[in-house]
Amino acid sequence: DFVLGSSNTLDLGNPNLIPMTSTNFDFSASWYHSEDLFVEAAFFYKDIKNFIVDVTGASLRLDELPITLPVGQVSEFIIAEDTKLTDINYTLNGDTATVYGVELSYNQFFDSGFFLQSNMTLQQSEAELDPSVRVGTIALPDQADMMANLTVGWENDDLSLRLIGNYRSEILEEIGSCGDRPDQECKDWSDRYQDAIATLDFKAKYKITCGQS
């Protein structure tokens, strides 16, 4: 007489996902002051449909799942056909999303051998899902609002030295399903983010030549 409880957690894939599509608009302006100085600004806009997102804590009946469970083959306990589980983790297609931003580049080489190479992308995104999953908008999953890198170096014909810094702001990894909760409350307790990352690397190269006798 054991019955499947509604609070059991179910982790699923989704074989019914459809490909994400995007219409992109780009505009860039570049300035080549000399062979040692390059500056560029690139603007972009993306209109996205059917983006893919991981969702946790969804409430679905068994007949609403993206896959069919063989409940009729289970004899150890009872699984009613209209059972509704309240903690389902699965992947689904979102509705629409937009991304817009600018990418800035600056590279300069000096007669002394020093050089600078830099790139920074600033962008904003908004995405919408079915209201039963999330009311309002979210950031586009796996989308960083800021990415930047800076290389400071010196080199000649034999030696090259580089100090390389990289930064990426936090990204949204998965969202909680809570269409019946206030938007900010839902974000605070259910969404999972990957923290911002900053790295600093040093690279040195030296050219060794062997003489011939």
Side-chain angles (χ1 to χ4, degrees):
D1 294 330
F2 290 105
V3 178
L4 178 65
S6 62
S7 61
N8 279 268
T9 300
L10 189 61
D11 294 318
L12 297 174
N14 189 349
N16 301 319
L17 292 173
I18 59 178
M20 181 182 76
T21 59
S22 176
T23 302
N24 302 333
F25 299 93
D26 301 273
F27 172 79
S28 63
S30 304
W31 181 44
Y32 294 85
H33 178 267
S34 67
E35 64 178 9
D36 296 326
L37 176 59
F38 166 69
V39 179
E40 183 180 60
F43 304 89
F44 56 88
Y45 175 84
K46 303 178 182 181
D47 184 14
I48 300 171
K49 299 184 185 303
N50 301 313
F51 65 93
I52 296 173
V53 58
D54 292 327
V55 177
T56 63
S59 297
L60 295 172
R61 298 193 313 270
L62 293 183
D63 59 357
E64 295 175 325
L65 298 177
I67 63 174
T68 301
L69 298 180
V71 295
Q73 301 178 25
V74 178
S75 57
E76 288 78 7
F77 53 91
I78 300 171
I79 304 179
E81 293 183 0
D82 60 349
T83 296
K84 185 174 184 178
L85 299 181
T86 59
D87 191 13
I88 299 174
N89 306 326
Y90 73 122
T91 305
L92 56 76
N93 284 110
D95 292 338
T96 61
T98 57
V99 180
Y100 59 91
V102 59
E103 181 179 358
L104 306 172
S105 300
Y106 168 75
N107 299 313
Q108 185 167 10
F109 294 82
F110 301 93
D111 294 338
S112 61
F114 284 98
F115 62 88
L116 294 173
Q117 295 176 314
S118 62
N119 180 276
M120 180 172 64
T121 301
L122 302 172
Q123 54 194 353
Q124 290 290 325
S125 65
E126 285 191 349
E128 294 184 354
L129 297 94
D130 189 282
S132 63
V133 177
R134 176 64 66 87
V135 176
T137 61
I138 62 170
L140 183 66
D142 299 320
Q143 173 74 57
D145 289 342
M146 179 180 178
M147 295 175 289
N149 60 74
L150 173 65
T151 299
V152 180
W154 179 89
E155 63 184 9
N156 59 20
D157 292 338
D158 298 319
L159 179 63
S160 175
L161 304 173
R162 296 170 183 255
L163 187 63
I164 306 166
N166 292 280
Y167 174 79
R168 191 218 66 211
S169 61
E170 69 175 13
I171 60 175
L172 176 63
E173 284 197 330
E174 66 180 25
I175 68 167
S177 175
C178 44
D180 58 342
R181 290 176 176 264
D183 185 54
Q184 189 58 48
E185 180 184 344
C186 183
K187 291 180 180 179
D188 290 342
W189 74 267
S190 67
D191 292 352
R192 188 178 73 180
Y193 290 82
Q194 186 179 125
D195 204 357
I197 296 176
T199 62
L200 187 63
D201 300 291
F202 176 73
K203 182 178 181 181
K205 293 193 300 183
Y206 182 73
K207 181 180 179 181
I208 299 176
T209 58
C210 298
Q212 295 181 349
S213 58

